[in-house]
């Protein structure tokens, strides 16, 4: 096709030198270079994004990082961070021929051996595990031997050992270090082999154990999963509900808009946590209910933001231009208004995730929302606060973790906001 | 209805509902747009010319409403069509070019998407590849390299964007293009080039263009006919040469004398007394009587009809016998 007349010279805005340089480099270098223009915001986004990615990986694969089952009673209670748990071992009388747990196995018609342990330690758990394992091995062998010890619990090590001296119990299972300490007092007792179950905890507990002997570190890692599930799902849910409502209200206008705005503003007027408490109290404890309760809190945030932006975009000339080329309402919403509104939604989303995690932890701290069997930071905080005077690690680490996650998400969101939408800063 | 008339506006009234009551932004306006002409619609800011332009596509939303009149386009009265069917006319048969090319393109869509969307909205059977080919041919024709079709609006200059807007109207061979102050935001050089292009396109495609502007020079440059609006009323319509040579209506006379002219030779520019009236309380009778140097008693009492004065030139002014004759005719009837 012929062009009409001469081409008018293409008038382009003058190109800055940095723009020219920018075109020459690869995308990775371009992202790296952007730190020069965005300064601190760039670093905030970079560092917090790395943190967010780490948290997400942990949330997806907590079992790869957690050394123990978060709800199993794996160690002695109140073990300080870094301290090693004593390896439980079998203590028998000097006259006994038994040397290992297996030697205590008897045929089923004989009385079962009684073994003394100290309450609250890891000995009972270790003993149970080991006995079960041995029992499973030997019950199919010929001779019909079984190992099903009766466990006697005592308040102190001394009492447990005394019971063996007195002949009340066949043997005791106590930590090796404790027996070494008390050996002189019990000349009639000797050490047998250590209990196999104890080997699992020999690696120690990085952040200590809690009041019932659960590993704090493992619970933190598994708690990431619950926290992020709550944070992401509730934000996503409120986005899915709030964004279309905001779009519709602004686009349709009239009494629908007024009704929706009244509803949303009255929800917004409620103190957030109180509303969430009320909803979870009515719905009952479960992860889904917590997600729903928090989502309800944040629907007005999305609604108001999207409605405001849609009202502004709707008046833009290109929307009128779109109508003048015959675009219908659905197309205008889909292709003109939505893409122009969505960047701010994405930014609000990442800030919102942080807020939702905080609210979720707050609910759990109050004992609402989550069933107590789920490893969660809020629950750990609530349980740990009773022991703050002698076990600082119970609330320090979950608290710091919440701080870190919320900080990472918030810094990422705020940084992105500064970079992509400087105008939002003023709001 | 004559075949050479593409769009016939008859007794159109557009009202804005405001807190102060209904304001007629277009009041009883009639205008015939002929096939293949460029007709310039001039008037001061707020006289209702843009409202009239939008009304031709029934683009009004919110407080604006067409309350009376007929819009005969190519043998159909658009006012009798359900509003749901208007999108089929918009873009396909009537295109529009807006004032500010900086904001009239969607910032998140490429130029290509604008064009293919326009084509495929009206011709859904066209494949993506065909639509792209058509879009590329079109913008090449308007003097934009086709490689630039994948760019976003912010990567283009104002003149280029305005050409893209034109290409949207041309994409479906719209019969009528309404250009609402298309050159106001362009500098004079780009403006001149754009007007040349418009003129060429009009010849090439047999376009009919309604050029809405407050710049009377632009109208002189490219229009065949001119329509002058003042305070929601049509004041004068005629061929450009006739109106510029012998303006009939006192408003048009004042308007032309207030434009800088090389023949004035340093003499002071004419200043029209007064200011345009408040449309929520329009003056009685002729809207211009408050500022008219030839004001008569009848001007304050009765609205003059738009009547032919001389040849194809018509004006709404009691100064002319034919207008008076019309009044007498009415009285007898």
């Amino acid at each position: 096709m012929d062009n009409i007349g001469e081409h008018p010279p293409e008038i382009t805005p003058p190109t800055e030198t940095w723009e020219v340089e920018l075109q020459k480099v690869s995308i990775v270098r371009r992202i790296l270079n952007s730190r020069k223009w965005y300064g601190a915001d760039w670093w905030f986004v970079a560092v917090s994004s790395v943190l967010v990615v780490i948290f997400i990986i942990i949330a997806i694969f907590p079992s790869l990082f957690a050394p123990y089952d978060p709800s199993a009673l794996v160690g002695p209670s109140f073990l300080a961070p870094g301290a090693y748990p004593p390896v439980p071992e079998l203590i028998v009388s000097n006259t006994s021929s038994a040397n290992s747990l297996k030697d205590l196995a008897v045929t089923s018609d004989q009385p079962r051996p009684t073994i003394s342990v100290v309450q609250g330690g890891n000995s009972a758990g270790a003993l149970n595990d080991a006995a079960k394992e041995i029992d499973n091995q030997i019950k199919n062998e010929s001779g019909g031997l079984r190992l099903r010890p009766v466990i006697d619990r005592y308040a102190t090590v001394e009492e447990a050992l005394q019971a063996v001296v007195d002949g009340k119990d066949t043997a005791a299972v106590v930590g090796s270090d404790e027996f070494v300490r008390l050996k002189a007092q019990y000349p009639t007792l000797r050490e047998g082999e250590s209990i196999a179950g104890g080997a699992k905890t020999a690696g120690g507990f990085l952040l200590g154990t809690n009041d019932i002997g659960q590993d704090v570190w493992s619970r933190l890692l598994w708690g990431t999963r619950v926290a992020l599930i709550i944070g992401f799902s509730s934000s996503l849910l409120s986005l899915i509900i709030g964004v279309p409502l905001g779009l519709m209200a602004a686009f349709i206008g009239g009494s629908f808009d007024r009704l929706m705005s009244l509803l949303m503003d009255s929800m917004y007027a409620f103190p957030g946590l109180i509303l969430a408490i009320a909803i979870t109290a009515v719905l009952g404890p479960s992860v889904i209910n917590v997600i729903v309760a928090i989502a309800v809190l944040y629907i007005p945030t999305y609604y108001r933001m999207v409605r405001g932006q849609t009202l502004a975009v709707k008046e833009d000339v290109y929307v009128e231009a779109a109508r003048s080329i015959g675009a219908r309402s659905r197309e205008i919403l889909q292709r003109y208004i939505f893409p122009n509104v969505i960047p701010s939604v994405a930014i609000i989303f990442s800030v919102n995730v942080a807020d939702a995690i905080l609210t979720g932890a707050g609910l759990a701290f109050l004992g609402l929302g989550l069933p107590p069997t789920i490893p969660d930071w809020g629950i750990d905080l609530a349980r740990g606060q009773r022991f703050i005077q002698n076990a600082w690690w119970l609330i320090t680490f979950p608290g710091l973790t919440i701080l870190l996650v919320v900080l990472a998400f918030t810094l990422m969101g705020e940084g992105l906001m500064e970079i992509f939408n400087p105008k939002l800063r003023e709001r | 209805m004559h075949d050479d008339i593409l769009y016939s506006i008859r007794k159109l009234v557009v009202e804005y509902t405001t807190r102060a009551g209904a304001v007629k932004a277009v009041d009883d306006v009639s205008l015939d747009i002929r096939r293949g002409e460029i007709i310039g619609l001039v008037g001061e800011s707020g006289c209702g010319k843009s409202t009239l332009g939008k009304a031709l596509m029934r683009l009004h939303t919110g407080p604006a409403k067409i309350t009376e009149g007929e819009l005969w386009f190519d043998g159909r009265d658009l006012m009798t069509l359900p509003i749901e069917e208007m999108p089929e006319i918009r873009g396909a048969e009537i295109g529009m070019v807006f004032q500010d090319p900086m904001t009239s393109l969607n910032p998140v869509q490429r130029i290509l998407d604008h064009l293919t969307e326009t084509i495929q909205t009206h011709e859904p059977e066209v494949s993506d590849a065909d639509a792209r080919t058509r879009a590329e041919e079109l913008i090449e024709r308007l003097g934009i390299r086709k490689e630039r079709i994948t760019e976003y609006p912010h990567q283009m200059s104002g003149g280029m964007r305005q050409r893209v807007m034109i290409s949207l109207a041309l994409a479906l061979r719209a019969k009528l293009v309404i250009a609402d102050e298309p050159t106001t935001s362009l500098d004079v050089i780009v403006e001149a080039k754009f007007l040349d292009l418009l003129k060429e396109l009009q010849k090439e495609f047999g376009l009919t263009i309604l050029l809405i502007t407050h710049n009377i020079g632009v109208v002189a440059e490219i229009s065949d006919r001119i329509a002058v609006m003042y305070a929601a009323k049509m004041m004068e319509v005629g061929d450009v040469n006739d109106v510029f040579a012998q303006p009939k209506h006192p408003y048009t006379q004042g308007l032309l004398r207030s434009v800088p002219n090389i023949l004035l030779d340093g003499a002071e520019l004419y200043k029209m007394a007064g200011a345009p009236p408040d449309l929520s309380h329009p003056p009685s009778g002729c809207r211009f009587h408050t500022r008219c140097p030839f004001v008569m008693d009848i001007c304050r009492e009765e609205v003059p009809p738009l009547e032919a004065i001389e040849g194809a030139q018509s004006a709404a002014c009691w100064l002319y016998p034919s207008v008076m004759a019309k009044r007498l005719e009415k009285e007898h009837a």
Side-chain angles (χ1 to χ4, degrees):
Chain A
M1 224 186 271
D2 286 344
N3 297 333
I4 293 173
E6 283 175 41
H7 284 194
E10 290 176 8
I11 295 168
T12 38
T15 323
E16 305 278 343
T17 29
W18 61 263
E19 272 183 317
V20 178
E21 283 168 12
L22 193 62
Q23 295 301 324
K24 293 179 191 157
V25 297
S26 69
I27 180 77
V28 177
R29 174 111 17 116
R30 225 186 278 185
I31 291 171
L32 283 174
N33 272 346
S34 68
R35 73 185 186 278
K36 290 174 194 162
W37 307 306
Y38 295 116
D41 290 327
W42 189 90
W43 287 105
F44 286 160
V45 171
V47 173
S48 52
S49 305
V50 170
L51 271 178
V52 165
V53 168
I54 291 175
F55 277 118
I56 289 174
I57 292 173
I58 291 176
I60 297 173
F61 310 107
S63 50
L64 291 185
F65 304 96
Y68 307 109
D69 179 351
S71 30
L73 315 178
V74 284
S77 35
F78 297 125
L79 191 69
Y84 280 89
V87 181
E89 57 181 10
L90 195 68
I91 309 296
V92 288
S93 151
N94 282 334
T95 54
S96 168
S97 61
N99 203 34
S100 69
L101 206 51
K102 197 175 175 182
D103 298 338
L104 297 178
V106 289
T107 50
S108 31
D109 55 331
Q110 282 187 354
R112 290 153 69 188
T114 54
I115 298 177
S116 59
V117 297
V118 182
Q119 269 179 357
N122 61 337
S123 315
L127 172 62
N128 246 333
D129 290 349
K132 250 181 219 155
E133 202 176 304
I134 294 169
D135 193 43
N136 274 336
Q137 278 173 22
I138 61 176
K139 76 178 172 196
N140 296 326
E141 289 174 9
S142 58
L145 289 180
R146 302 298 305 267
L147 177 61
R148 287 170 299 172
V150 177
I151 296 177
D152 262 352
R153 287 163 208 274
Y154 294 94
T156 61
V157 187
E158 285 84 351
E159 283 176 49
L161 293 177
Q162 194 60 47
V164 183
V165 174
D166 296 347
K168 258 165 79 186
D169 293 331
T170 326
V173 172
V174 298
S176 53
D177 56 334
E178 284 167 323
F179 185 68
V180 170
R181 180 161 59 83
L182 299 168
K183 204 169 182 178
Q185 292 177 36
Y186 302 96
T188 57
L189 298 182
R190 67 178 175 87
E191 289 169 78
E193 283 179 10
S194 47
I195 300 297
K200 280 192 279 180
T201 60
F205 302 93
L206 185 60
L207 301 181
T209 59
N210 65 7
D211 52 328
I212 55 172
Q214 294 168 325
D215 180 28
V216 172
W217 172 236
S218 302
R219 286 183 69 79
L220 275 192
L221 293 175
W222 278 87
T224 314
R225 170 176 279 187
V226 182
L228 291 203
I229 285 176
I230 289 177
F232 275 107
S233 320
S234 55
S235 301
L236 203 64
L237 187 62
S238 45
L239 184 150
I240 288 171
I241 298 172
V243 170
L245 279 182
L247 279 174
M248 301 292 276
F251 198 70
I252 295 172
S255 48
F256 177 70
D257 180 26
R258 249 169 285 157
L259 192 74
M260 287 309 304
S261 296
L262 182 72
L263 187 71
M264 291 294 167
D265 285 351
S266 30
M267 275 164 68
Y268 207 62
F270 261 93
L273 201 55
I274 309 262
L275 186 59
I277 289 171
I279 297 171
T280 41
V282 171
L283 293 180
S286 87
V287 177
I288 304 278
N289 292 347
V290 173
I291 291 171
V292 170
I294 299 176
V296 170
L297 283 193
Y298 294 118
I299 289 174
T301 317
Y302 289 99
Y303 170 85
R304 286 162 62 109
M305 211 269 309
V306 169
R307 177 176 171 272
Q309 295 240 319
T310 306
L311 282 178
V313 171
K314 198 172 86 162
E315 297 305 318
D316 277 348
V317 184
Y318 57 82
V319 172
E320 194 167 33
R323 298 207 307 132
S324 82
I325 60 164
R328 286 161 195 278
S329 302
R330 201 177 54 84
E331 288 162 345
I332 290 175
L333 266 180
Q334 207 173 306
R335 305 187 61 158
Y336 290 81
I337 295 180
F338 185 69
N340 280 297
V341 164
I342 205 68
S344 351
V345 171
I347 290 164
I348 297 274
F349 180 79
S350 80
V351 180
N352 225 326
V353 169
D355 222 8
I357 290 174
L358 207 55
T359 312
L363 282 178
F365 181 78
L366 294 172
L368 286 160
L370 287 177
T373 49
I374 290 179
D376 178 81
W377 302 332
I379 291 177
D380 282 357
L381 274 182
R383 269 172 35 187
Q385 62 162 339
R386 281 180 291 152
F387 309 107
I388 187 166
Q389 287 184 333
N390 41 19
W392 56 272
W393 56 92
L394 291 192
I395 60 165
T396 308
F397 295 116
L400 280 178
T401 316
I402 293 174
L403 182 80
L404 200 61
V405 170
V406 172
L407 200 65
F409 274 100
T410 312
L411 281 185
M412 190 175 79
E414 301 267 347
L416 285 176
M417 193 186 295
E418 302 272 315
I419 289 175
F420 287 128
N421 209 344
K423 270 188 277 176
L424 280 181
R425 215 181 313 186
E426 287 133 38
R427 288 185 195 163
Chain B
M1 150 148 254
H2 300 293
D3 251 2
D4 64 332
I5 289 176
L6 176 65
Y7 205 124
S8 177
I9 306 159
R10 294 187 193 165
K11 298 191 178 304
L12 183 73
V13 178
V14 184
E15 276 185 12
Y16 282 89
T17 318
T18 67
R19 275 166 211 271
V23 173
K24 287 182 180 173
V26 174
D27 191 0
D28 195 21
V29 165
S30 299
L31 181 67
D32 286 342
I33 300 171
R34 298 182 193 143
R35 273 177 213 280
E37 74 172 351
I38 299 183
I39 179 165
L41 179 62
V42 294
E44 318 174 21
S45 299
C47 71
K49 53 191 194 301
S50 289
T51 305
L52 178 63
K54 280 186 202 166
L56 298 192
M57 293 170 93
R58 293 180 68 193
L59 259 185
H60 288 294
T61 49
K65 207 168 180 273
I66 299 176
T67 49
E68 274 174 59
E70 294 169 14
L71 297 170
W72 286 91
F73 173 68
D74 218 11
R76 276 172 298 180
D77 184 1
L78 297 185
M79 287 310 292
T80 60
L81 282 181
I83 193 77
E84 293 78 31
E85 286 176 25
M86 281 310 293
E88 284 158 30
I89 309 251
R90 293 177 194 148
E93 300 192 50
I94 308 178
M96 191 146 186
V97 179
F98 288 86
Q99 175 173 354
D100 189 357
M102 297 293 167
T103 56
S104 46
L105 293 167
N106 185 356
V108 298
Q109 267 190 351
R110 298 174 300 175
I111 303 305
L112 175 68
D113 302 321
H114 279 94
L115 282 158
T116 52
E117 187 189 348
T118 310
I119 295 171
Q120 289 176 330
T121 301
H122 295 284
E123 299 170 16
E125 69 281 358
V126 176
S127 72
D128 289 352
D130 288 351
R132 185 181 176 131
T133 314
R134 276 171 67 176
E136 283 174 351
E137 282 172 3
L138 203 60
I139 67 158
E140 286 249 292
R141 187 154 201 161
L142 295 187
I144 301 172
R145 277 184 293 115
K146 73 175 177 194
E147 296 79 47
R148 302 199 62 176
I149 200 166
T150 50
E151 291 188 356
Y152 286 88
H154 72 269
Q155 291 167 294
M156 302 202 143
S157 68
M160 289 168 81
R161 285 187 229 182
Q162 203 58 301
R163 277 178 270 152
V164 170
M165 285 304 292
I166 285 275
S167 71
L168 291 180
L170 295 179
L172 291 152
R173 297 275 190 275
K175 292 175 185 142
L176 175 65
V177 173
I178 301 166
D180 188 356
E181 311 238 9
T183 59
T184 306
S185 60
L186 304 178
D187 67 63
V188 280
I189 295 176
V190 182
E191 173 178 34
K193 294 227 157 83
F194 182 78
L195 291 178
D196 286 348
L197 179 69
L198 211 56
K199 188 99 183 164
E200 282 165 13
L201 290 174
Q202 184 246 344
K203 280 189 193 130
E204 175 88 12
F205 291 90
L207 281 181
T208 307
I209 298 173
L210 174 68
L211 183 68
I212 301 172
T213 178
H214 61 254
N215 187 342
I216 214 157
V218 169
V219 176
E221 177 95 17
I222 66 165
S223 295
D224 302 311
R225 288 203 304 148
I226 179 169
V228 182
M229 269 183 90
Y230 177 79
K233 290 275 192 191
M234 193 61 80
M235 291 299 178
E236 180 158 3
V237 181
D239 285 347
V240 163
N241 292 337
D242 296 343
V243 172
F244 274 73
Q246 269 202 322
K248 298 295 183 199
H249 199 285
Y251 174 65
T252 319
Q253 292 166 3
L255 204 60
L256 289 176
R257 281 170 64 198
S258 60
V259 175
N261 191 326
I262 200 155
L263 299 175
L264 270 177
D265 200 22
E268 276 238 351
L269 268 184
Y270 173 75
K271 290 190 214 71
M272 215 183 284
D278 174 7
L279 284 183
S280 56
H281 303 286
S284 60
C286 175
R287 295 274 163 94
F288 190 60
H289 83 248
T290 50
R291 304 168 77 186
C292 185
F294 313 109
V295 63
M296 304 176 289
D297 285 345
I298 188 171
C299 299
R300 299 195 177 89
E301 285 149 24
E302 273 183 69
V303 183
L306 186 69
E307 278 305 314
I309 310 288
E310 198 183 318
Q313 198 174 355
S314 38
C317 184
W318 294 122
L319 285 176
Y320 299 95
S322 58
V323 180
M324 274 301 197
K326 186 81 181 174
R327 175 168 172 257
L328 295 174
E329 210 175 278
K330 245 186 200 164
E331 264 175 22
H332 286 293

